[in-house]
Amino acid sequence: MSENPFDLAGQVAVVTGARRGIGAGIAEALAASGADVVGVSASMEDSGSTVQKAVESHGRTFTPYRADLSNRDDVERLTEQITANHGTVDILVNNAGDIRRSPAVSYSDEDWDHILQVDLTAQFVLARNLGRRMVDRGRGKIIFTASLLSFQGGINIVAYTAAKSAVAGIVKALANEWASHGVNVNAVAPGYITTDNTAPLRADPDRFKAISDRIPAGRWGTAADIGGTVAFLASRAADYVHGVTLPVDGGWLGR
């Protein structure tokens, strides 16, 4: 074992939503720390993706999987495939998610069910199915992508807020059960990050200015800002960190 507590060499990390945005940043950060990456996305290319090239540029392997997390059977199939091909993984990053915007008074049942399945149920099933093997082994790291909406209410995204608030609860519940078995369960809560999900906010000059003016760091975050935090939580340096939802928000929540 390396004396460097941040070294992930020899470990296998599963990252959902890895094709782009925050997920791609997380995958590259883990690879830069030494981990081989299993990347999952509903639209993941079989080979040659940008994220695969980024991971391999650090001398690590990248194994792509395509899965639709809105389909419960697909989620079960995914965990079976990962277990069959990779055994007990070392790190699970539950990052994949979706968002649908509408005022609560007109928010459809279809959108509600979709967001709760992708952003909450699939996250739990992946953690349960892959995490039970970590518990049996006595070691593992699980990191969820939560949100500022795990702490705040937001506007016109009621299902997303409900799911991300529940993710913060799952993190604490799993940590209470699994910490004594050597499995760390934590989350990162990204602030305003320049991704496709925040494109509508950045396209609205008034909203963009109002948000930007409130961020003490003076800028929107990047995928690399989240990736570095996840790499820390996935490492031995975070062995005594359990049940935490860590804001990575440029100081937004402290304002």
Side-chain angles (χ1 to χ4, degrees):
M1 181 181 294
S2 170
E3 293 183 1
N4 177 2
F6 298 96
D7 185 13
L8 301 178
Q11 299 192 44
V12 175
V14 175
V15 182
T16 67
R19 182 174 177 270
R20 61 185 181 178
I22 288 174
I26 290 170
E28 182 170 7
L30 293 171
S33 296
D36 294 319
V37 176
V38 174
V40 179
S41 172
S43 55
M44 182 65 73
E45 298 91 334
D46 291 333
S47 65
S49 65
T50 300
V51 64
Q52 178 172 352
K53 293 174 182 176
V55 167
E56 292 177 348
S57 74
H58 296 283
R60 310 316 308 167
T61 65
F62 181 86
T63 307
Y65 286 84
R66 189 179 293 116
D68 178 6
L69 300 191
S70 70
N71 184 306
R72 292 197 181 200
D73 291 338
D74 234 22
V75 177
E76 292 287 353
R77 178 187 58 78
L78 174 65
T79 62
E80 291 170 2
Q81 287 183 325
I82 289 173
T83 298
N85 295 332
H86 305 278
T88 303
V89 299
D90 303 285
I91 301 158
L92 167 64
V93 184
N94 262 331
N95 168 74
D98 199 0
I99 188 168
R100 293 184 178 179
R101 300 176 187 275
S102 174
V105 294
S106 56
Y107 208 93
S108 70
D109 289 350
E110 178 186 359
D111 284 351
W112 175 270
D113 291 343
H114 173 82
I115 295 302
L116 268 291
Q117 167 60 31
V118 174
D119 292 3
L120 180 61
T121 301
Q123 313 301 318
F124 170 69
V125 171
L126 286 164
R128 180 193 64 198
N129 290 7
L130 299 180
R132 65 162 61 101
R133 295 178 64 91
M134 296 179 183
V135 169
D136 289 342
R137 181 183 57 190
R139 175 174 57 82
K141 306 281 185 177
I142 298 176
I143 301 106
F144 289 78
T145 298
S147 169
L148 292 183
L149 281 309
S150 300
F151 303 94
Q152 299 178 318
I155 299 171
N156 294 337
I157 47 175
V158 62
Y160 184 83
T161 298
K164 292 301 184 178
S165 296
V167 162
I170 286 175
V171 165
K172 289 181 282 192
L174 294 182
N176 286 342
E177 293 189 35
W178 294 352
S180 63
H181 298 279
V183 178
N184 297 73
V185 184
N186 294 290
V188 291
Y192 287 92
I193 310 296
T194 52
T195 66
D196 291 346
N197 274 356
T198 60
L201 299 177
R202 289 179 283 115
D204 181 331
D206 293 334
R207 287 295 304 279
F208 178 74
K209 183 178 187 305
I211 290 168
S212 300
D213 287 348
R214 180 178 161 166
I215 301 172
R219 66 173 177 87
W220 286 49
T222 67
D225 292 319
I226 309 304
T229 306
V230 170
F232 159 66
L233 290 173
S235 74
R236 287 186 291 115
D239 276 355
Y240 202 56
V241 181
H242 292 275
V244 169
T245 296
L246 177 60
V248 186
D249 63 355
W252 173 276
L253 288 175
R255 189 65 177 246

